[in-house]
Amino acid sequence: MSTTTLRRPPVDLLGLIGSTDHKSVAKRTAIVAFAFFVVGGILALLIRSQLTTPDSRLIGADAYDALFTMHGSTMIYLFVTPMAIALGVYFVPLQVGAAEIAAPRVALLGFWMYVSGGLVMWSGYLTDNGPGKAGWTAFDPLSDSVHSPGIGMDFWIFGVILAVLGCMLLASCVLGTIVARRAPGMTMLRLAPFTWSMLVTCLMVIASFPVLVVAMGLLWAQREFGGVYTGAGGPI
């Protein structure tokens, strides 16, 4: 009697990296977003440990500022929005009867820009002065080169820009799928409530995130050259 050994097919690494299938892009985006959620949650635990007792010396002032900044930035820019959009990338084409998401290569580019943004933001921990320490809102003058010196803050700025641009591309693909890739007979009034919620979400992302990108670019210019957020009466 012969026995047959079942072997798993080899992992298609190229397909894993470059697949434009909307389900694959959505899964990868959700996995990366959840990974950032875990590391951001660890930072939150460290913050709460510092606050358990008055005048705790568990974490230094600079380290606490970095934890506070990176926790908020991770949750806002690297988890909440990307996870929501990942759900849209996965379910919207299925709900509207589309064979694939609109502009699948753009969606893939958006995913990798989002991943790159997260890695650039967190690479600030590898610099001499550490990552950004001006809070996830990065208000000037806390975020200028005087109060937040070092390239880590610049990494934070460029990380936010890349991650936000990636989310904008993904949201644009979801919106394009809703508008132009619906199956015959699938009118807007027949869309599922989830698809309508993603429509509104994508419109908010596309309308608001360009302002954030411009603000981050101006913040970098303020750090390099000054005079952008500074008026006659002080910081704007």
Side-chain angles (χ1 to χ4, degrees):
M1 180 181 295
S2 62
T3 59
T4 303
T5 303
L6 297 179
R7 296 181 180 180
R8 293 183 178 181
V11 178
D12 184 6
L13 183 59
L14 183 61
L16 184 64
I17 296 174
S19 174
T20 57
D21 177 67
H22 72 96
K23 293 181 181 179
S24 177
V25 174
K27 290 177 182 178
R28 283 177 283 170
T29 304
I31 290 172
V32 174
F34 183 77
F36 280 125
F37 170 78
V38 171
V39 295
I42 293 174
L43 298 188
L45 293 176
L46 294 174
I47 292 172
R48 291 302 175 185
S49 299
Q50 169 71 11
L51 299 176
T52 51
T53 59
D55 299 325
S56 174
R57 297 294 186 269
L58 178 64
I59 302 172
D62 286 343
Y64 181 86
D65 291 342
L67 290 177
F68 180 83
T69 301
M70 294 303 296
H71 163 71
S73 304
T74 298
M75 292 303 180
I76 296 298
Y77 302 124
L78 303 180
F79 172 66
V80 174
T81 303
M83 182 61 78
I85 296 178
L87 295 176
V89 172
Y90 190 96
F91 288 109
V92 165
L94 301 178
Q95 291 190 346
V96 302
E100 61 179 1
I101 194 170
R105 289 184 176 86
V106 175
L108 179 64
L109 175 62
F111 164 73
W112 283 113
M113 290 184 68
Y114 156 63
V115 173
S116 300
L119 294 178
V120 170
M121 184 188 298
W122 273 81
S123 64
Y125 274 106
L126 303 177
T127 62
D128 293 336
N129 293 309
K133 301 183 180 69
W136 68 270
T137 53
F139 289 137
D140 183 77
L142 293 177
S143 57
D144 63 18
S145 58
V146 175
H147 298 89
S148 296
I151 197 173
M153 189 68 202
D154 296 314
F155 281 179
W156 182 90
I157 293 172
F158 289 115
V160 171
I161 291 175
L162 284 172
V164 166
L165 287 175
C167 290
M168 286 175 55
L169 292 180
L170 288 169
S172 299
C173 294
V174 175
L175 182 62
T177 304
I178 297 174
V179 174
R181 291 294 181 91
R182 300 191 308 275
M186 176 65 71
T187 63
M188 294 295 291
L189 294 180
R190 291 182 177 179
L191 294 179
F194 174 81
T195 300
W196 269 108
S197 69
M198 289 308 307
L199 173 66
V200 176
T201 299
C202 292
L203 287 175
M204 290 191 296
V205 168
I206 295 172
S208 61
F209 276 16
V211 180
L212 178 59
V213 172
V214 173
M216 289 294 108
L218 293 176
L219 179 58
W220 178 81
Q222 169 71 21
R223 289 176 54 82
E224 293 295 318
F225 311 107
V228 178
Y229 290 112
T230 303
I236 300 175

